[in-house]
Amino acid sequence: MSTSTARITEVRPSGVTHSSKEASMHAVVLNVKVTDADAAAAALRDQVVPQVSGTRGFVAGYWVRLDGGRGTAVVVFESEDAARSAAAEAQPPGD
């Protein structure tokens, strides 16, 4: 089993207003430090995306690898409660 390849450095639920003014959605923004890009990509594909996409209120998720061993995820939820619950549970895969 692989060890953790990312460390979450910041998690913050933040409101995002849908442009149609018909609905309000909320996002959890995670900033991570990645020490092994290949292992992190595998963990994202095999563990993180399946787990997050099955979370109550999940709408969409966007994961971006940045320069300097950094990454950002933006995960959108239907409600503030769902976003806050997901933010409270956020942790990197592995140990």
Side-chain angles (χ1 to χ4, degrees):
M1 176 164 274
S2 66
T3 60
S4 177
T5 59
R7 179 173 54 86
I8 295 175
T9 56
E10 180 180 8
V11 177
R12 63 179 188 273
S14 55
V16 176
T17 304
H18 189 273
S19 62
S20 72
K21 296 184 183 178
E22 294 175 8
S24 179
M25 290 185 281
H26 296 267
V28 176
V29 178
L30 299 104
N31 293 304
V32 299
K33 182 171 184 155
V34 177
T35 56
D36 181 333
D38 291 336
L44 183 67
R45 179 189 64 243
D46 298 339
Q47 297 173 33
V48 176
V49 171
Q51 180 180 8
V52 171
S53 63
T55 302
R56 177 184 61 85
F58 173 83
V59 173
Y62 307 92
W63 289 265
V64 181
R65 186 167 89 180
L66 305 170
D67 291 337
R70 298 175 302 126
T72 296
V74 178
V75 185
V76 181
F77 294 90
E78 294 174 337
S79 69
E80 182 177 356
D81 287 342
R84 289 192 181 279
S85 177
E89 298 295 320
Q91 55 185 290
D95 294 332

